[in-house]
Amino acid sequence: MNSIPVVTKNLLIINALCFFGGVVATKYGLNLNDLLGLHFFMASDFNPAQLITYMFMHANFQHIFFNMFAVWMFGRTLEQVWGPKRFLFYYILCGIGAGLVQEGVQYIQYVTELSRYDGVNMGGAVIPMNEYLNMMTTVGASGAVYAILLAFGMLFPNSKMFVFPIPMPIKAKYFVMGYAALELFLGFGSSGDGIAHFAHLGGMIFGFILIMYWRKKNNNGQFYY
């Protein structure tokens, strides 16, 4: 842990504490994911602060493990290149951007599908619409993590990576493009997997805009100091 840069290390610690705190809280009847997760902005449980708190909450151990593994693997390199302040700003802003995109997608769903109904059939019972809206909750650091993947691909486009199950190394830029294409496909597809694919894309979009702004500001397009 001593070799991990300060912001990356603290992100790992805070996310782990929030996850295990949530596990303990459930034993006392408190659902932290419901309290701190990002609710749909038209729901009664929505709070603007959730645009930040949601990225520190996770659905299960697998969810937090893979997100934090990516933060550890790629985030520490970005922090060493950018410095702690810029890396933290990038992480938080892209996480907020991912949440805003997810809110926009949910609003489109509400306007085109849900607004005409007073309730939603959940298979065994019909629940009121206001209760269903409160169930539209997003948790996880995935939006910020996908922004980290994008940044790594843009800073080190020709770095070679081994990605299971591909039997040969691929360049980071192709890895990032492939992930973005997959998320776009799954986002528009009817996967029904409960994953906020457009939030992932939102993180990448905000990350791309921010990096391009920094490149333009530095003129030469190479360094971000």
Side-chain angles (χ1 to χ4, degrees), residues 103-150:
E103 290 287 302
V105 171
Q106 289 178 336
Y107 179 71
I108 293 173
Q109 180 188 10
Y110 175 77
V111 171
T112 58
E113 300 177 13
L114 301 176
S115 59
R116 70 190 74 172
Y117 302 109
D118 295 323
V120 177
N121 190 336
M122 299 296 291
V126 176
I127 63 173
M129 182 57 67
N130 62 337
E131 184 177 337
Y132 180 78
L133 293 181
N134 275 321
M135 296 171 61
M136 297 169 61
T137 309
T138 304
V139 295
S142 299
V145 167
Y146 272 74
I148 288 176
L149 293 178
L150 174 83

Side-chain angles (χ1 to χ4, degrees), residues 8-30:
T8 302
K9 180 192 299 184
N10 282 287
L11 286 174
L12 296 175
I13 293 172
I14 293 170
N15 276 275
L17 289 175
C18 288
F19 177 75
F20 289 111
V23 172
V24 173
T26 57
K27 298 182 182 298
Y28 296 91
L30 180 63

Side-chain angles (χ1 to χ4, degrees), residues 107-211:
Y107 179 71
I108 293 173
Q109 180 188 10
Y110 175 77
V111 171
T112 58
E113 300 177 13
L114 301 176
S115 59
R116 70 190 74 172
Y117 302 109
D118 295 323
V120 177
N121 190 336
M122 299 296 291
V126 176
I127 63 173
M129 182 57 67
N130 62 337
E131 184 177 337
Y132 180 78
L133 293 181
N134 275 321
M135 296 171 61
M136 297 169 61
T137 309
T138 304
V139 295
S142 299
V145 167
Y146 272 74
I148 288 176
L149 293 178
L150 174 83
F152 186 87
M154 293 182 71
L155 266 69
F156 310 101
N158 295 316
S159 296
K160 293 185 177 180
M161 307 169 57
F162 283 96
V163 182
F164 181 83
I166 302 174
M168 63 189 71
I170 62 173
K171 292 184 178 180
K173 58 185 177 183
Y174 299 131
F175 170 77
V176 170
M177 288 188 288
Y179 246 108
L182 178 63
E183 288 299 313
L184 188 62
F185 171 77
L186 293 175
F188 282 108
S190 55
S191 57
D193 54 10
I195 299 175
H197 296 289
F198 284 106
H200 300 173
L201 288 170
M204 298 182 88
I205 291 171
F206 271 75
F208 178 80
I209 293 172
L210 188 54
I211 290 173

